[in-house]
Amino acid sequence: MNAPQAPFVGRSVERREDARFLTGRGQYTDDITLADQSYGYFLRSPYAHARIKKLATAAAAKAPGVLGIFTGEHFKQVGGLPCGWLINSLDGQPMKEPRHPVLADGKVRYVGDRVALVVAETLAQAKAAAQLIDVDYDELPAVVDVAKAATAGAAVHDEAPNNTCYHWGIGDKDGVDAALKSAAHVTTLTFRNNRLIPNAIEPRAANASYDANADSYTLYVANQNPHVERLLMCAFVLGIPEHKMRVVAPDVGGGFGSKIFLYGEETALVFASKHIKRPIKWTAERSESFLADAHGRDHYTTAQLGTDKDGHFVALKVDTKANLGAYLSTFASAVPTILYATLLAGQYKTPKIWCEVTAMFTNTAPIDAYRGAGRPEASYLIERMVETAATELKIDPAELRRRNFITSFPYATPVGLTYDTGDYNATLSKAIEAGDVAGFAKRKAASEAKGLKRGIGYSAYIEACGIAPSSVAGALGARAGLFEAGEVRVHPTGKVTIFTGSHSHGQGHETTFAQVVADRLGVPMEDVSIEHGDTGKILFGMGTYGSRSLAVGGTAIVKAVDKIIAKGKKIAAHLMEAADTDVVYEGGVFKVAGTDKSVPFASVALTAYVPHNFPHDKLEPGLNENAFYDPSNFTYPAGTYICEVEVDPATGAVKIDRVTASDDFGNVINPMIVEGQVHGGLAQGFGQALLEHGVYDEQTGQLLSGSYMDYAMPRADDFPTFTVHTVKGTPCTHNPLGVKGCGEAGAIGSPPALINAICNALGVKDVPMPASPYNVWKAAQAAAR
């Protein structure tokens, strides 16, 4: 592969990390085998809700190869797994926050709940010993359906007798009620946003070891934010001094949010590693991942959109019941509130909005952030409402959107956010042009000639990315800052190592961060290396989620680079016998303005490490700088997606025939990587809309979709070729790169576009997600009647 040439920003530079991934040279957590390695296996609950009457481990402890067995009794003196976001109810009371034990303590609350950890010389021995553990359960009634949880008659936790964690709201309730009462038209929809089960190609894994000589721990873990993992585990659960714990997240095979959180598995391994004085490895089997990884979505919502006689929006009212599962996961409380309700303005200047959220405990796996985290739920609601209103009002869906688009910025929404910039007409117009909407009628006639129904659906999404700023997040309940850190280390030879708190697990950071730094410093890309994922090397970091890496982590790096340049100017000024205020830096060379004097970057780097060559009484030796960055606002990517489908009304089969995506991501560093992110997001979003559904039996709480035989994942032949356009964007106004974030857009904008297209094809008001052949067939039959 030829070395790319400057300038690098804005070019589709090939991903440098792909070479090791495509040739099988990546190193994932399960690839790491330590000296005296032992293996862990978790015994899990077969019941959704039960008391543990007896837990006998004596026989298992005597089994061949067993090194230790750990149960909830071992963890009574440590903390529970914490939730990082405090939400207060409308009455001012804090949310109910039941203890989330590392291992079940007297009670199990979902199928897959951790009951015991068995550690043995081999995995096979650990599994065999687990079968010898004698557990006597007293089964209790299970609560599964979030819509019925408040009146189920059974409590998941004693602290929440009606299963309500919090009852929260935002907006102007009285104003909305008045506006809806006087509206010329009110559109009403009730729907579910279906539960999803993350399926990263690499399952969760951990390998924990204890060093008795240093009284310290090392944890290798498939995780998206190793510093947060360390902070939560040390400070809130195990009480280990933070400097005595090193967390390493090596190559990670996808996360999509499910690897952000602190889980009981790795926490139990760290605890047990000290007791048996051996490293312990655990890698989830796929069936464990279905049961025990944090799930996503699962909302039950009724919404009303009021319009005046000309189709202008006057008010939006939303009532959502959000499923939290059996316990509060790390960021669970924030997803259906701060990350959902604050986005309900969408791209529209709706003057009055009220959203009420009731978060419920159920006997199901905990629910937390999954690609988009609240933003997909918000966009689905808004865009289904807008498309339905357009049908009811007999107004073209694109025209109705244009009448209501925000066109003046900055714009303060009625639900707490301020959009800094955007051009929603531009992305809509590009989508209409690229999607050949003008030719839809002809394609529809061709489909009808084959006995098929063709439909078209729009979705004009917006999301809040670059999760921060800390001041806003803190006011809304965040229990930690949401800044990012970066360090730039220039070596004496002029080569550069970047240490970032952001973590890459498929996003291409090793390429895009190098592009930014190489351009900023005017050095070859091959002279820049990126280090991430190791608390022993990295200054600090809040990790990767919410499309924040470049906008927040990249900005921290840029700020550190600028400090390098500032110091370099002072060294160069000494070498050129000039004032540092006269020195400029261009293309990797320090120059005295208006003269032919110049010094290359590499010479300044070497001089920095030879202090007798510059005034070291005024400057410290070395060329190493770090920076923290806490944004002043979120970033707001936006766009329009148009989907066309063909539906066979006789079978309910849906073919996605055409997909057009038009996005405004601000400035784009690497167009190829951005397009890849959109492609992946589209596949996940269409997977939710058409195929995926986490289903529990309402009586027993058993997971009915616990394998790929029952949980349908999207495949390549489910999709057409995507047409993806990134318009010449409106750069973000408050970070120096002008970037907005792109990693979640596809998953946010695509589900409503697809469902809108199916509804348009059949002439029906709603089709539930997932739009399985059976659900679509039922809707088609109802329409025919």
Side-chain angles (χ1 to χ4, degrees), residues 393-721:
L393 294 167
K394 296 181 173 55
I395 300 174
D396 177 79
E399 171 58 25
L400 184 63
R401 287 175 168 86
R402 283 197 172 101
R403 289 184 193 180
N404 290 281
F405 275 159
I406 299 162
T407 55
S408 178
F409 297 89
Y411 177 82
T413 74
V415 279
L417 299 182
T418 298
Y419 303 163
D420 62 328
T421 185
D423 188 345
Y424 310 141
N425 276 298
T427 50
L428 175 60
S429 296
K430 184 62 181 180
I432 290 172
E433 174 198 342
D436 186 26
V437 173
F440 172 72
K442 184 177 180 179
R443 293 190 294 274
K444 183 177 178 69
S447 296
E448 288 177 349
K450 298 184 292 182
L452 303 174
K453 303 280 190 181
R454 178 176 284 265
I456 187 169
Y458 293 76
S459 171
Y461 78 90
I462 191 168
E463 57 170 325
C465 293
I467 301 301
S470 296
S471 58
V472 174
L476 295 173
R479 288 166 162 164
L482 291 171
F483 52 84
E484 197 49 81
E487 180 182 356
V488 179
R489 186 177 301 169
V490 180
H491 304 283
T493 57
K495 311 303 181 185
V496 183
T497 301
I498 304 299
F499 299 88
T500 174
S502 299
H503 184 276
S504 181
H505 41 278
Q507 294 88 345
H509 294 171
E510 293 173 36
T511 302
T512 51
F513 284 175
Q515 286 179 259
V516 169
V517 172
D519 254 16
R520 201 84 171 184
L521 286 178
V523 301
M525 262 189 74
E526 57 267 30
D527 286 359
V528 181
S529 64
I530 309 296
E531 294 282 345
H532 62 92
D534 187 343
T535 64
K537 296 180 179 179
I538 312 300
L539 180 67
F540 199 80
M542 298 306 294
T544 294
Y545 44 85
S547 301
R548 73 192 301 270
S549 294
L550 197 55
V552 187
T555 298
I557 292 170
V558 166
K559 288 169 71 70
V561 167
D562 289 347
K563 290 181 181 181
I564 292 287
I565 294 172
K567 183 173 181 178
K569 286 180 178 180
K570 294 178 179 180
I571 297 172
H574 176 77
L575 294 176
M576 294 183 289
E577 298 181 333
D580 61 285
T581 54
D582 293 331
V583 176
V584 296
Y585 185 66
E586 297 172 352
V589 178
F590 293 93
K591 303 174 183 177
V592 178
T595 74
D596 60 356
K597 292 182 177 181
S598 65
V599 179
F601 178 75
S603 295
V604 169
L606 180 61
T607 301
Y609 290 91
V610 186
H612 58 266
N613 285 340
F614 70 91
H616 56 275
D617 58 326
K618 297 180 180 179
L619 289 174
E620 294 178 355
L623 202 52
N624 187 89
E625 298 286 351
N626 60 63
F628 284 78
Y629 175 64
D630 196 341
S632 59
N633 195 359
F634 297 100
T635 64
Y636 298 99
T640 296
Y641 293 173
I642 299 177
C643 178
E644 284 187 37
V645 298
E646 278 189 328
V647 180
D648 184 344
T651 64
V654 175
K655 175 189 175 185
I656 304 174
D657 191 58
R658 297 166 71 92
V659 174
T660 304
S662 171
D663 299 287
D664 176 2
F665 296 132
N667 293 336
V668 172
I669 303 301
N670 189 312
M672 178 188 69
I673 288 178
V674 166
E675 184 173 352
Q677 288 288 311
V678 174
H679 276 239
L682 288 169
Q684 274 185 286
F686 288 139
Q688 171 177 12
L690 203 61
L691 300 165
E692 299 182 49
H693 195 191
V695 181
Y696 285 87
D697 182 276
E698 286 200 31
Q699 299 301 314
T700 65
Q702 294 294 324
L703 181 63
L704 302 180
S705 53
S707 76
Y708 292 133
M709 294 295 290
D710 304 294
Y711 188 89
M713 295 286 288
R715 303 180 303 182
D717 60 0
D718 290 316
F719 307 120
T721 299

Side-chain angles (χ1 to χ4, degrees), residues 180 183-191 302-307 313-318 381-394 400 765:
L180 289 176
H185 181 84
V186 176
T187 294
T188 302
L189 275 178
T190 296
F191 53 86
T302 295
Q304 295 175 286
L305 176 64
T307 60
F313 304 158
V314 298
L316 175 67
K317 185 175 185 178
V318 177
L381 184 156
I382 300 161
E383 293 308 297
R384 286 289 294 116
M385 295 299 293
V386 172
E387 199 93 347
T388 304
T391 301
E392 293 177 347
L393 294 167
K394 296 181 173 55
L400 184 63
K765 186 170 183 176

Side-chain angles (χ1 to χ4, degrees), residues 243-257:
H243 67 288
K244 292 291 187 178
M245 167 80 83
R246 177 189 176 202
V247 176
V248 182
D251 288 329
V252 174
F256 313 116

Side-chain angles (χ1 to χ4, degrees), residues 4-224:
Q5 302 299 310
F8 305 108
V9 169
R11 294 181 54 206
S12 292
V13 176
E14 291 184 24
R15 290 182 11 142
R16 45 164 66 170
E17 48 267 78
D18 282 351
R20 73 175 186 272
F21 293 146
L22 295 174
T23 56
R25 292 184 288 112
Q27 187 179 54
Y28 301 89
T29 299
D30 191 60
D31 293 324
I32 297 167
T33 300
L34 304 174
D36 292 324
Q37 186 72 68
S38 66
Y39 297 84
Y41 177 79
F42 288 91
L43 179 68
R44 298 183 182 275
S45 170
Y47 296 105
H49 197 195
R51 290 189 184 88
I52 300 174
K53 296 172 64 178
K54 181 180 74 171
L55 179 55
T57 62
K62 296 175 183 177
V66 171
L67 300 171
I69 298 177
F70 301 86
T71 68
E73 285 293 321
H74 291 87
F75 292 89
K76 282 186 177 293
Q77 303 306 313
V78 304
L81 303 178
C83 179
W85 213 289
L86 173 65
I87 298 296
N88 290 318
S89 290
L90 287 169
D91 62 5
Q93 293 299 307
M95 65 188 187
K96 301 293 193 301
E97 205 165 354
R99 177 179 167 83
H100 186 176
V102 176
L103 297 176
D105 183 9
K107 204 177 188 186
V108 291
R109 292 183 171 86
Y110 65 99
V111 175
D113 206 352
R114 298 170 298 273
V115 174
L117 166 63
V118 180
V119 183
E121 295 284 357
T122 69
L123 178 58
Q125 289 173 331
K127 284 185 174 183
Q131 303 308 308
L132 299 176
I133 296 177
D134 182 14
V135 189
D136 186 6
Y137 295 99
D138 179 16
E139 190 174 4
L140 300 169
V143 180
V144 172
D145 187 346
V146 67
K148 304 172 183 176
T151 58
V156 179
H157 297 279
D158 294 339
E159 299 93 322
N162 63 352
N163 295 313
T164 299
C165 177
Y166 56 78
H167 179 215
W168 177 89
I170 190 171
D172 180 0
K173 185 178 187 300
D174 292 340
V176 165
D177 287 341
L180 289 176
K181 188 174 181 180
S182 61
H185 181 84
V186 176
T187 294
T188 302
L189 275 178
T190 296
F191 53 86
R192 290 180 185 267
N193 203 293
N194 45 319
R195 176 185 285 251
L196 301 179
I197 302 176
N199 274 278
I201 195 168
E202 177 207 23
R204 286 194 293 122
N207 195 341
S209 65
Y210 173 71
D211 181 344
N213 292 326
D215 188 26
S216 65
Y217 302 79
T218 299
L219 172 65
Y220 296 91
V221 62
N223 185 267
Q224 298 174 220

